[in-house]
Amino acid sequence: MAITTINRDDYQPQLDEKAQRIQTIFADFNTPALEVFASPAEHYRMRAEFRVWHEGEDLYYIMFDQTTREKVRVDQFPVASRLINDVMPLLIEAIKLIRSLRHKLFQVDFLSTMSGEILVSMLYHRQLNAEWETEIRALKQRFNDEGFQINFIGRARKQKIVIDQEFVIEKLNVNEQTLTYKQVENSFTQPNGQIAQKMLEWAVDCTQDSTGDLLELYCGNGNFSLALAKNFNRVLATELAKPSVDSAQYNIAVNNIENVQIIRMSAEDFTEAMEGKREFRRLKDLNVDLKSYNCNTIFVDPPRSGMDEDTCKMVQGYERIMYISCNPDTLKENLDILSQTHNITRFALFDQFPYTHHMEAGVFLERK
């Protein structure tokens, strides 16, 4: 498939192939019927980044073909949101005419939302000055006058200029409940907005009859924590990245959710704290009494590397386990341990990245 084109007729066959492949990968685990969550066939990705190519007076976006490494001109990008596609040509045409904005510009990143906001990051091989800031503020005003909710960030070596905010506000509808999320530039967010909503609804459905409290590892900006809060007495969640923790605290407040607490800790450190191997000052400073929580359910959404063996064994101590994975290989490795004590009772495929080999899986496990 060419990088800049999509054939909508190819969507269902590629999804069917993924469903067959993931069922084959997990055939040894006696999984229940696979629940398949389809993506829109186009305009599904909320983030995109492009290199900028200078050719005489011309200026245009490029991507590199993953097979040949040849550059491919990108005037429109149908996998990206409609908002990104609307802004792309207007932005590049404006930049062409303003020397202070185009000079040594080498990359443009877009972060958009389904609620209509967009953040544009412009990366340079030179230091940015007052002239750049004056011109980018004028350009922002032009876009605002045309109805766009847009902000800009200029980046150069050891330099970052924010015009006027470094985040977007997303609103996701989960079972007729609207949840608001701050999404910060260069922090992890779910790239496919429609699939993000389906993942949250699936997680809420799996845990609707829950009792007690929820423990969540790798919580990011509280994406799942906020949606799941209504199914539990309390939610205790951990995340290591400070920008994500800060966003999570904002999201808790703006959604008026009172039963979620976020702790900045790695999953490995938290495992040691839960097992009493080490004491952590940050838990004392936050007045967190781990023994006061009655967590029957644990939720994990680890990085591609999956969970380490000690964390897997800690997770086995919970009655019910929800596991979202962006890497079926490491999920399978972790299930080799988890399936010794738990049965898989829900099994889902979320087509987060259509037309690629990537698969996002969800499993819900209950103690045997």
Side-chain angles (χ1 to χ4, degrees):
M1 179 189 72
I3 253 175
T4 57
T5 61
I6 280 180
N7 183 348
R8 294 175 60 90
D9 293 338
D10 293 338
Y11 180 73
Q12 191 60 47
Q14 68 89 33
L15 181 58
D16 293 342
E17 187 276 330
K18 284 182 179 179
Q20 182 59 53
R21 181 154 44 96
I22 202 167
Q23 289 177 96
T24 300
I25 292 172
F26 294 97
D28 294 338
F29 292 99
N30 191 30
T31 58
L34 180 67
E35 301 169 66
V36 179
F37 295 90
S39 168
E42 61 182 356
H43 300 306
Y44 49 83
R45 189 173 175 85
M46 297 293 105
R47 304 195 306 255
E49 61 182 49
F50 306 97
R51 298 300 293 267
V52 175
W53 197 258
H54 298 250
E55 193 169 277
E57 294 300 311
D58 199 7
L59 196 70
Y60 51 89
Y61 308 105
I62 67 164
M63 299 181 76
F64 289 98
D65 188 285
Q66 294 182 356
T67 302
T68 66
R69 301 307 301 165
E70 293 181 354
K71 67 180 179 69
V72 178
R73 179 167 177 156
V74 184
D75 295 319
Q76 290 281 264
F77 193 52
V79 305
S81 68
R82 292 188 183 277
L83 182 53
I84 290 176
N85 279 277
D86 288 344
V87 169
M88 283 175 65
L90 300 176
L91 179 65
I92 204 73
E93 288 303 316
I95 291 172
K96 284 181 187 180
L97 303 176
I98 307 171
R99 186 181 186 281
S100 63
L101 297 185
R102 68 175 287 162
H103 183 51
K104 293 194 175 180
L105 172 68
F106 72 90
Q107 184 167 316
V108 176
D109 300 345
F110 297 92
L111 173 61
S112 66
T113 69
M114 295 190 297
S115 52
E117 295 190 13
I118 187 164
L119 177 62
V120 179
S121 299
M122 300 168 64
L123 285 63
Y124 290 84
H125 285 311
R126 67 174 179 90
Q127 293 297 289
L128 304 178
N129 55 21
E131 182 184 3
W132 180 89
E133 185 168 345
T134 297
E135 292 290 2
I136 202 67
R137 286 192 179 278
L139 183 60
K140 171 182 162 65
Q141 187 61 54
R142 285 170 51 190
F143 272 97
N144 289 344
D145 291 343
E146 293 179 19
F148 292 97
Q149 300 179 60
I150 192 168
N151 287 285
F152 289 92
I153 295 177
R155 285 186 173 275
R157 187 172 182 270
K158 297 183 179 180
Q159 188 181 27
K160 176 182 176 182
I161 300 176
V162 179
I163 313 291
D164 284 298
Q165 64 186 38
E166 61 178 345
F167 60 87
V168 292
I169 299 297
E170 178 64 287
K171 295 184 182 294
L172 299 180
N173 295 314
V174 182
N175 297 323
E176 299 183 354
Q177 177 187 15
T178 300
L179 293 172
T180 300
Y181 295 93
K182 176 192 281 188
Q183 300 181 342
V184 180
E185 183 225 25
N186 282 348
S187 294
F188 176 77
T189 56
Q190 297 289 345
N192 188 322
Q194 294 289 344
I195 287 294
Q197 292 182 150
K198 293 177 181 180
M199 292 170 69
L200 293 176
E201 290 181 342
W202 181 82
V204 169
D205 184 58
C206 286
T207 59
Q208 63 180 337
D209 297 322
S210 299
T211 59
D213 303 322
L214 171 69
L215 173 62
E216 181 181 357
L217 308 183
Y218 319 96
C219 75
N221 69 352
N223 183 52
F224 283 96
S225 315
L226 304 186
L228 291 170
K230 65 181 181 181
N231 285 351
F232 296 89
N233 295 332
R234 292 187 294 173
V235 177
L236 178 63
T238 70
E239 170 59 44
L240 184 57
K242 186 177 185 302
S244 293
V245 173
D246 292 343
S247 293
Q249 301 292 8
Y250 172 94
N251 296 337
I252 290 169
V254 77
N255 287 284
N256 298 311
I257 294 176
E258 299 180 350
N259 64 332
V260 175
Q261 181 159 25
I262 307 291
I263 302 171
R264 189 182 173 211
M265 292 184 76
S266 70
E268 293 76 14
D269 284 350
F270 189 79
T271 298
E272 291 191 349
M274 288 292 290
E275 295 176 348
K277 294 180 179 179
R278 290 175 60 192
E279 291 188 358
F280 292 86
R281 179 177 297 276
R282 74 196 72 171
L283 295 179
K284 292 183 179 180
D285 291 344
L286 292 170
N287 294 316
V288 176
D289 179 9
L290 296 180
K291 294 180 180 178
S292 73
Y293 282 85
N294 178 29
C295 296
N296 301 318
T297 306
I298 188 167
F299 180 96
V300 294
D301 185 4
R304 289 189 60 79
S305 56
M307 296 187 294
D308 64 274
E309 185 174 350
D310 287 343
T311 302
C312 279
K313 290 180 178 178
M314 185 272 285
V315 167
Q316 284 181 297
Y318 295 82
E319 292 296 313
R320 307 202 296 178
I321 305 165
M322 180 173 290
Y323 192 140
I324 298 291
S325 172
C326 60
N327 185 345
D329 293 332
T330 54
L331 173 60
K332 183 178 181 181
E333 291 174 3
N334 288 166
L335 286 177
D336 285 336
I337 298 174
L338 300 179
S339 65
Q340 295 170 12
T341 53
H342 291 70
N343 292 319
I344 301 173
T345 56
R346 299 281 294 269
F347 182 36
L349 168 65
F350 304 100
D351 197 19
Q352 185 89 255
F353 301 98
Y355 313 105
T356 76
H357 71 281
H358 294 293
M359 295 185 291
E360 190 103 357
V363 291
F364 189 64
L365 302 100
E366 299 180 86
R367 189 176 297 282
K368 294 181 178 179

